[in-house]
Amino acid sequence: MDLSANQLMLRQAVKWGVTYWDTANSYRWGKSEKGIGKYFEKYPRDRSKIFLVTKSGAWTKRGMTKDLEESLDRMRTDYVDLFFVHGISDIGEMDRETQVWAEKKKAEGKIRLFGFSTHHNMEECLLDAADLGWIDGIMMTYNYRLMHTGRMRRAVDACVKAGIGLTAMKTQGGGSIR
């Protein structure tokens, strides 16, 4: 990772109004978060302008806590705006223990919002999340190649109705145009 180029890119992003910054504990073995932390160390006032998102691949209370604390330390911030459990494929992974953990971290001011990312079984995950009542956001593969099914449209509509924010990823992916 070219740290100086990274810092210039982040500075320019702020100047251009790019305020949604997404990373994960595992991206570039933590170097992505360290780059963000170096930026916030140099420009601490910019933290309030940024909607900061990070993800954890851990599905246990202990693992999520470890990843969150490590992420906060790396990024030199007291909180993240949105914390995702990364890459679920079944809503059963969002159990009562996870809900309690998320509520506790919100109360502590370490996270503002909680959710998950999903790459597989998306329609089912979205539909089931809408019924849970405690998921704030979902990052999902979203592109015109995948959104043509009635089931996916119903899943997105259910999340909107439940007040769940959706973040699109892999917007250009999904195979050849048919």
Side-chain angles (χ1 to χ4, degrees), residues 39-98:
Y39 180 85
F40 287 148
E41 184 176 53
K42 188 169 183 177
Y43 303 102
R45 289 187 193 165
D46 284 355
R47 174 61 186 97
S48 64
K49 300 175 189 175
I50 304 303
F51 187 89
L52 187 60
V53 181
T54 196
K55 301 177 224 53
S56 168
W59 292 292
T60 65
K61 195 166 59 171
R62 176 178 286 175
M64 289 187 301
T65 299
K66 178 187 169 294
D67 283 357
L68 175 60
E69 291 300 328
E70 191 172 66
S71 294
L72 294 173
D73 184 56
R74 286 176 179 164
M75 294 189 289
R76 298 184 175 123
T77 187
D78 296 330
Y79 70 98
V80 292
D81 295 287
L82 178 54
F83 185 85
F84 284 129
V85 174
H86 198 27
I88 76 158
S89 57
D90 184 283
I91 202 67
E93 296 170 54
M94 299 290 97
D95 58 13
R96 176 75 178 133
E97 184 177 339
T98 304

